[in-house]
Amino acid sequence: MVDWNLAVATATRLVRPGPEVSREEARAVVAELRRHAKSSEEHVRAFTRMAVSGGPASDTPVLVVDRAGWIKANVAGFRQILKPLLGKMQDRRGGLPGGAMLGAVGGKVTGVELGMLLSFLASRVLGQYETFAPATRELPGSPGGGRLLLVAPNIVHVERELDVAPHDFRLWVSLHEETHRTQFTAVPWLRDHIESEIQAFLGETDVDPATLLERLREAFQSLSGGGRPGDERGEEDGRGGAPSIIELVQTPSQREILARLTAVMSLLEGHADYVMDGVGPEVVPSVAEIREKFQKRRASGAGRLDQALRKLLGLDAKLRQYRDGERFVRAVVNEVGMDGFNRVWTSPNTLPTKAEISKPAEWVARVHRKAES
């Protein structure tokens, strides 16, 4: 169904080269990022008051990678998380006339398409807590799943583009990504919960090719202006114009699951931004300048093509997750303090809903006041 090797080859061939650095400078960047990742652990855990549990999931390595390394790690993650769905589709296709040949051709096409997508993203991601991919010799991970990736060429590219202090920017990025590692290592049930939600979403996927094709056509028509005419409502309704493909190829059950996933991802991203800025003033002297310049970069994109691709892939929703999630965390901490906020990590039942992300007082009323009554 997917030629994974072709996806890696396509992405690494198409990805743009990183910034020019000497071998000595590259080594210095890698060493500094590793130091910052280590020092960020203490800062993040002290600020969040999140105790990292023992066990295999807490032993997660930090990998400083180039763009090709990020591509390989993410293909491995896609391969792992999509395995049940692709097996289901393979079984369905195997019973059709010419199914084997169709599968071989389709796998090549899908591999190229995935490679093109990853080549676009590989030059933009600064760091990532990679949750699902199995460990390999080339890309080690913890026995319980998880590894922290810092994409060195992208960090260097952005610090130069923004004209900010490299030392400060590298530590600032490390604080954000270390927060994600702390979230997953301090909350043992979080990884399994997210994976179960993703698998439930994929399990609801309609694998009938005709239905899927019809929905994809609807998506492309919408993106090209053929659907929902005059839809320029902006951000008030959380959509901002034509929907992305992922918003259209869904069943009603998938929409419910996606709402829950959107809420938890908003929480995780917003929490990381809140921690990054909360720790920042003490250890990153130029944090105010970095935040201002980085926010402008996030909002503007890199031109019309970049903005169109972000909308197509649903990346605009990712930007809203940072903003809305950070507002939720800030409001809750202001109301009930950090320890009160940390009740969010008690169980899946204490995670905020999508509505509560926008209305933090409702989460406080549900989780705190109900518990105290």
Side-chain angles (χ1 to χ4, degrees):
M1 297 300 297
V2 181
D3 189 329
W4 300 107
N5 292 332
L6 183 58
V8 172
T10 300
T12 53
R13 185 175 69 252
L14 295 179
V15 71
R16 292 183 294 181
E20 291 187 11
V21 295
S22 66
R23 182 171 298 181
E24 291 74 18
E25 185 180 2
R27 288 173 177 165
V29 171
V30 170
E32 184 174 19
L33 286 172
R34 286 176 176 156
R35 290 196 302 271
H36 286 330
K38 184 64 178 176
S39 65
S40 293
E41 290 184 31
E42 181 179 349
H43 296 311
V44 169
R45 293 173 190 180
F47 182 82
T48 63
R49 303 179 191 173
M50 296 176 71
V52 174
S53 62
S58 62
D59 184 21
T60 55
V62 176
L63 306 181
V64 181
V65 298
D66 58 12
R67 292 171 177 177
W70 181 86
I71 288 167
K72 291 175 183 175
N74 277 267
V75 167
F78 279 130
R79 190 170 190 169
Q80 181 71 18
I81 203 70
L82 293 176
K83 188 182 295 184
L85 173 64
L86 295 181
K88 182 179 176 182
M89 295 182 71
Q90 186 72 33
D91 292 342
R92 174 73 64 88
R93 179 171 285 179
L96 299 174
M101 180 177 295
L102 183 63
V105 174
K108 298 291 185 186
V109 172
T110 307
V112 170
E113 290 174 341
L114 177 59
M116 293 173 66
L117 165 64
L118 290 173
S119 72
F120 170 75
L121 296 174
S123 61
R124 288 160 172 78
V125 176
L126 301 182
Q128 173 186 358
Y129 186 78
E130 213 295 314
T131 315
F132 301 112
T136 65
R137 180 178 298 180
E138 186 177 6
L139 292 166
S142 70
R147 56 190 168 213
L148 182 61
L149 306 178
L150 295 172
V151 190
N154 296 350
I155 293 172
V156 172
H157 171 78
V158 173
E159 70 191 27
R160 290 179 178 179
E161 181 182 49
L162 298 181
D163 190 25
V164 294
H167 172 84
D168 288 3
F169 185 73
R170 294 167 194 176
L171 178 54
W172 189 70
V173 171
S174 297
L175 289 169
H176 181 101
E177 303 307 330
E178 175 57 35
T179 302
H180 286 316
R181 182 164 67 158
T182 298
Q183 290 163 349
F184 282 92
T185 54
V187 186
W189 53 264
L190 184 59
R191 177 186 182 276
D192 289 342
H193 172 70
I194 292 176
E195 183 175 14
S196 68
E197 292 280 52
I198 292 173
Q199 291 302 336
F201 181 90
L202 296 175
E204 289 287 334
T205 299
D206 189 342
V207 296
D208 176 65
T211 303
L212 188 58
L213 180 59
E214 181 181 348
R215 290 182 181 172
L216 286 173
R217 283 173 178 165
E218 181 185 355
F220 283 117
Q221 287 173 359
S222 174
L223 290 165
S224 63
R228 289 158 52 90
D231 187 1
E232 299 293 341
R233 290 173 288 176
E235 294 185 346
E236 287 78 5
D237 65 351
R239 299 176 73 91
S244 67
I245 286 177
I246 195 171
E247 290 176 299
L248 285 171
V249 290
Q250 294 170 27
T251 65
S253 296
Q254 284 178 312
R255 292 189 184 96
E256 294 179 7
I257 298 168
L258 188 63
R260 295 196 298 269
L261 279 170
T262 298
V264 71
M265 296 311 296
S266 296
L267 170 68
L268 298 180
E269 296 294 357
H271 183 235
D273 265 14
Y274 178 81
V275 172
M276 179 170 61
D277 289 343
V279 175
E282 295 183 7
V283 298
V284 182
S286 60
V287 64
E289 177 191 4
I290 291 173
R291 164 56 78 186
E292 181 182 2
K293 291 183 175 180
F294 194 76
Q295 287 288 63
K296 289 180 180 178
R297 182 181 184 274
R298 261 185 187 170
S300 65
R304 294 180 64 184
L305 176 60
D306 185 77
Q307 290 172 3
L309 285 169
R310 289 195 323 188
K311 184 173 289 292
L312 174 68
L313 301 172
L315 298 182
D316 284 348
K318 178 81 166 177
L319 300 182
R320 288 194 295 273
Q321 287 172 6
Y322 288 107
R323 183 193 62 203
D324 297 345
E326 195 274 342
R327 288 176 180 170
F328 170 84
V329 175
R330 185 174 300 280
V332 172
V333 172
N334 287 343
E335 178 71 19
V336 296
M338 184 63 75
D339 290 335
F341 165 79
N342 281 339
R343 288 195 189 180
V344 77
W345 312 117
T346 304
S347 75
N349 292 330
T350 56
L351 292 173
T353 65
K354 189 176 180 181
E356 288 170 343
I357 287 289
S358 301
K359 299 177 180 178
E362 293 185 1
W363 180 87
V364 172
R366 177 172 67 88
V367 173
H368 280 266
R369 301 199 178 121
K370 185 178 291 186
E372 293 165 2
S373 61

